[in-house]
């Protein structure tokens, strides 16, 4: 050890600094590679359900549920997400149609990533759904990946900051650092804002971004003659609620208000898990409400009101939907 110390002290300062910088860079690269490999392994089962889709059997009605962790089923067992419970519920009620409900939820997804997933799924005839249900946008305040609207708007006023932030947001190491700082602040009971430092707090900006993505989703499914339905979040998210109101009015489509049963706050929180996602009971409530809305408004074949997708006939907003 003493020999190593003597060797280090004999080296020029610039070499010591260079060695330290290279060591730090190497650790960052190693961490980034490890996180990406681990993420690929962990998310493989999530993406596989969409990636492995084949041409459905006759008399099968396919529903794609696209979104983030609220669709994926965070805070509940894997078989008790709202898409899984919705599929079980529809099949238990159906006498003539088999329902295949695909869970396309990926934790952390923003609305732009959900839009890309919908486009990719519709592009292939074997994976194309008959109905798309979307619950996305809550992560837009801190996830800017694939966000064309965010990049274009930020480049207008802060071009350098926008490019640097975009590069950082692609880094898994940076994301891990943000989460670590957030959890450390919360564990220490800091009085500072415990949200990520990169949060966009401008609801008007977020609403415009969501309206653009929601509108492109609608135009995309219309081109493929597919129905689309939007859900809001179990716990209120102002930008999503505002965007859904505007989108429903502009395009004549509906969204299911999953909070329309309006229980007292204490009872509602019993349907929410530790990370403020619905628990299995909360997802069951969402599944029942969505199933009823699909039937009552003719969006599935078992409904007497079932009609052609709204590319040829406008949809009537579902029961419990906002206008």
């Amino acid at each position: 050890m003493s020999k190593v110390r003597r060797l280090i002290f004999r080296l020029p300062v610039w070499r010591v600094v260079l060695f330290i910088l290279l060591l730090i860079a190497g650790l960052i690269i190693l961490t980034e590679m490890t996180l990406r490999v681990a993420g690929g392994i962990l998310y493989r089962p999530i993406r596989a359900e969409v990636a492995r889709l084949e041409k459905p059997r006759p008399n099968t009605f396919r529903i794609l549920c696209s979104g983030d962790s609220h669709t994926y089923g965070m805070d509940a067992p894997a078989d008790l997400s709202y898409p899984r419970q919705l599929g079980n519920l529809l099949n238990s009620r159906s006498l003539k149609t088999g329902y295949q409900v695909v869970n396309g939820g990926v934790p952390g997804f923003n609305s732009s990533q959900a839009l890309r997933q919908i486009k990719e799924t519709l592009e292939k005839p074997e994976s194309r759904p008959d109905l798309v249900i979307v619950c996305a946008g809550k992560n837009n305040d801190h996830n800017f990946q694939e966000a064309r609207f965010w990049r274009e708007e930020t480049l207008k006023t802060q071009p350098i900051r926008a490019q640097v932030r975009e590069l950082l947001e692609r880094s898994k190491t940076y994301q891990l650092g943000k989460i670590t700082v957030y959890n450390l602040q919360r564990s220490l009971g800091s009085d500072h804002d415990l949200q990520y430092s990169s949060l966009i707090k401008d609801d008007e900006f977020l609403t415009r971004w969501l309206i653009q993505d929601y509108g492109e989703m609608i135009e995309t499914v219309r081109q493929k003659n597919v129905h689309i339905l939007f859900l809001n979040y179990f716990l209120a998210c102002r930008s999503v609620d505002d965007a859904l109101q505007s989108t429903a009015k502009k395009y004549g489509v509906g969204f299911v208000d999953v909070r329309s049963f309006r229980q007292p706050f204490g009872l509602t929180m019993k349907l929410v898990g530790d990370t403020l996602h619905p628990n299995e009971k909360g997802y069951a409530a969402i599944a029942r409400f969505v199933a009823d809305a699909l039937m009552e408004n003719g969006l599935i074949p078992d409904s007497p009101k079932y009609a052609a997708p709204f590319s040829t006939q406008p949809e009537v907003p579902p029961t419990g939907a906002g206008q």
Side-chain angles (χ1 to χ4, degrees):
M1 188 68 180
S2 58
K3 291 182 179 180
V4 175
R5 286 181 179 177
R6 285 198 297 269
L7 179 61
I8 292 176
F9 284 121
R10 288 177 183 176
L11 291 174
V13 175
W14 68 269
R15 287 192 176 183
V16 175
V17 173
L18 179 61
F19 173 77
I20 294 174
L21 291 176
L22 289 174
L23 181 62
I24 294 173
L27 289 174
I28 292 174
I29 293 173
L30 179 61
T31 303
E32 185 74 18
M33 293 175 62
T34 302
L35 290 173
R36 288 186 177 275
V37 171
I41 294 173
L42 291 173
Y43 282 155
R44 187 176 298 168
I46 300 173
R47 296 190 174 98
E49 187 169 354
V50 176
R52 289 202 302 260
L53 287 176
E54 299 177 351
K55 187 176 180 179
R57 298 176 181 177
N59 297 322
T60 297
F61 189 86
R62 176 179 287 165
I63 300 173
L64 170 66
C65 297
S66 183
D68 50 33
S69 53
H70 292 256
T71 299
Y72 170 70
M74 196 72 74
D75 276 345
D79 59 342
L80 292 177
S81 63
Y82 100 75
R84 183 64 62 86
Q85 296 196 61
L86 175 62
N88 293 338
L89 194 57
L90 291 175
N91 282 308
S92 68
R93 294 178 177 181
S94 178
L95 299 176
K96 60 181 181 180
T97 304
Y99 291 93
Q100 180 189 19
V101 181
V102 181
N103 188 343
V106 179
F109 254 24
N110 60 29
S111 61
S112 299
Q113 291 171 305
L115 170 61
R116 185 255 304 158
Q117 181 192 68
I118 292 169
K119 287 182 175 180
E120 291 177 350
T121 307
L122 289 172
E123 194 63 31
K124 300 176 182 178
E126 65 272 15
S127 65
R128 187 174 301 166
D130 301 289
L131 168 68
V132 175
I133 300 177
V134 180
C135 179
K138 200 175 184 71
N139 293 317
N140 284 33
D141 61 359
H142 64 271
N143 177 6
F144 314 130
Q145 296 184 54
E146 304 180 40
R148 188 179 73 252
F149 178 85
W150 176 86
R151 188 174 188 276
E152 291 174 352
E153 290 295 310
T154 310
L155 280 173
K156 293 177 183 177
T157 56
Q158 300 172 308
I160 297 178
R161 177 178 179 272
Q163 294 180 41
V164 172
R165 176 58 61 81
E166 187 176 21
L167 289 173
L168 287 174
E169 289 297 330
R170 293 179 180 179
S171 168
K172 304 298 182 184
T173 306
Y174 176 73
Q175 297 291 341
L176 177 63
K178 287 200 303 182
I179 295 172
T180 302
V181 171
Y182 168 73
N183 288 330
L184 181 61
Q185 287 180 324
R186 189 168 65 173
S187 64
L188 294 175
S190 173
D191 293 331
H192 299 291
D193 185 1
L194 296 182
Q195 301 299 316
Y196 299 129
S197 60
S198 60
L199 277 178
I200 298 176
K201 297 179 174 63
D202 186 347
D203 283 328
E204 189 271 336
F205 177 89
L206 290 170
T207 299
R208 288 191 293 118
W209 175 5
L210 287 166
I211 289 173
Q212 175 176 292
D213 282 349
Y214 291 161
E216 195 167 345
M217 290 176 188
I218 293 170
E219 292 168 358
T220 298
V221 299
R222 281 179 169 171
Q223 292 173 3
K224 301 297 183 180
N225 203 36
V226 172
H227 281 295
I228 189 169
L229 182 68
F230 292 92
L231 311 182
N232 59 5
Y233 285 92
F234 206 66
L235 297 179
C237 179
R238 180 179 175 182
S239 58
V240 172
D241 291 339
D242 290 346
L244 287 175
Q245 294 275 1
S246 178
T247 303
K249 183 177 180 180
K250 180 178 179 179
Y251 290 94
V253 300
F255 70 91
V256 175
D257 181 2
V258 300
R259 300 192 302 274
S260 62
F261 54 88
R262 305 300 178 195
Q263 295 192 42
F265 183 74
L267 293 178
T268 299
M269 292 308 294
K270 291 183 179 180
L271 304 179
V272 176
D274 294 336
T275 63
L276 298 183
H277 295 76
N279 55 28
E280 57 267 31
K281 294 181 180 179
Y283 289 126
I286 294 172
R288 288 195 300 271
F289 197 83
V290 173
D292 290 343
L294 293 175
M295 178 66 75
E296 291 171 9
N297 294 276
L299 297 178
I300 53 177
D302 278 287
S303 171
K305 303 177 184 178
Y306 183 65
F310 62 79
S311 57
T312 56
Q313 179 176 340
E315 288 181 358
V316 178
T319 303
Q323 284 293 317

